[in-house]
Amino acid sequence: SMTLAAKLRNVSFDVADIAISQSDAKLGNVDLSGGDIRLMYRPEKVGDTQEESAPVEWKVGVDNIAINDVRFAMQMLPAIDSLDVEIGLAKLEKCKVDMSTCKVEASYFGLDSLDVKYIYQNVAVAAEEPKETPVEDKSQTWTIEGGKLKVQNSSVVYALNDAKPADGLDMNYLSL
């Protein structure tokens, strides 16, 4: 099962054009600020009666996106113990997302005051968790192309749950 909860102080956007019959949307400026978003996923057995849905082929273009003071948290057991992202400021300019070709293009992506912590479980511990019924993966690889990337005043931790940083290169605890 999956649960998504979001609280945002401000959400504003300019709609330039939405053509539902052509699955096409163009937005001007988008602003998200002061928020807390949480996504929780718990594995469950998949029933035999699920119907396959048609692929979504939307094309979305956005002139500018600004995200200020937003926190995102995710847990996806058994693999992801926790993913916590605190965004001071993120900007995306001239972005196009084409779901029919699985492609994202942007002229600029900037991050300032980003704090990311990705904590994963030990493979042996994760193996003890209840198993999902296998589902055929029909997903496609996504391509992301960008003109300019700027990251400043930011930190990232990728670590095994309960790992403590050791001297030298420690593959169980990576920090930038």
Side-chain angles (χ1 to χ4, degrees), residues 101-170:
T101 61
C102 299
K103 187 173 183 179
V104 178
E105 298 175 53
S107 66
Y108 173 80
F109 185 51
L111 296 166
D112 190 354
S113 303
L114 177 74
D115 184 26
V116 178
K117 291 182 181 80
Y118 181 100
I119 309 300
Y120 62 96
Q121 288 194 14
N122 182 308
V123 174
V125 172
E128 295 172 7
E129 297 291 329
K131 298 284 185 201
E132 289 183 41
T133 303
V135 175
E136 183 181 347
D137 184 4
K138 296 180 181 179
S139 61
Q140 294 180 304
T141 301
W142 279 75
T143 301
I144 300 173
E145 296 178 356
K148 182 178 180 182
L149 172 66
K150 182 178 181 181
V151 180
Q152 60 188 18
N153 306 315
S154 299
S155 65
V156 177
V157 172
Y158 176 81
L160 175 66
N161 190 6
D162 297 327
K164 304 290 184 242
D167 291 337
L169 179 61
D170 181 358

Side-chain angles (χ1 to χ4, degrees), residues 18-35:
I18 296 179
I20 294 174
S21 62
Q22 284 108 21
S23 300
D24 189 79
K26 292 178 181 59
L27 302 175
N29 297 315
V30 176
D31 179 47
L32 306 173
S33 59

Side-chain angles (χ1 to χ4, degrees), residues 1-5 37-43 72-77 80-84:
S1 68
M2 189 178 324
T3 304
L4 175 66
I37 302 166
R38 297 181 182 276
L39 177 65
M40 306 301 262
Y41 171 81
R42 304 270 188 251
F72 173 78
M74 181 175 88
Q75 185 177 49
M76 191 175 284
L77 297 174
I80 302 171
D81 184 79
S82 64
L83 171 64
D84 287 302

Side-chain angles (χ1 to χ4, degrees), residues 27-84:
L27 302 175
N29 297 315
V30 176
D31 179 47
L32 306 173
S33 59
D36 189 19
I37 302 166
R38 297 181 182 276
L39 177 65
M40 306 301 262
Y41 171 81
R42 304 270 188 251
E44 293 180 345
K45 290 190 175 186
V46 177
D48 296 334
T49 60
Q50 287 190 348
E51 294 181 24
E52 189 171 316
S53 61
V56 177
E57 296 189 349
W58 273 86
K59 293 179 179 121
V60 179
V62 181
D63 289 338
N64 298 293
I65 297 175
I67 300 173
N68 297 283
D69 189 29
V70 173
R71 180 171 183 256
F72 173 78
M74 181 175 88
Q75 185 177 49
M76 191 175 284
L77 297 174
I80 302 171
D81 184 79
S82 64
L83 171 64
D84 287 302

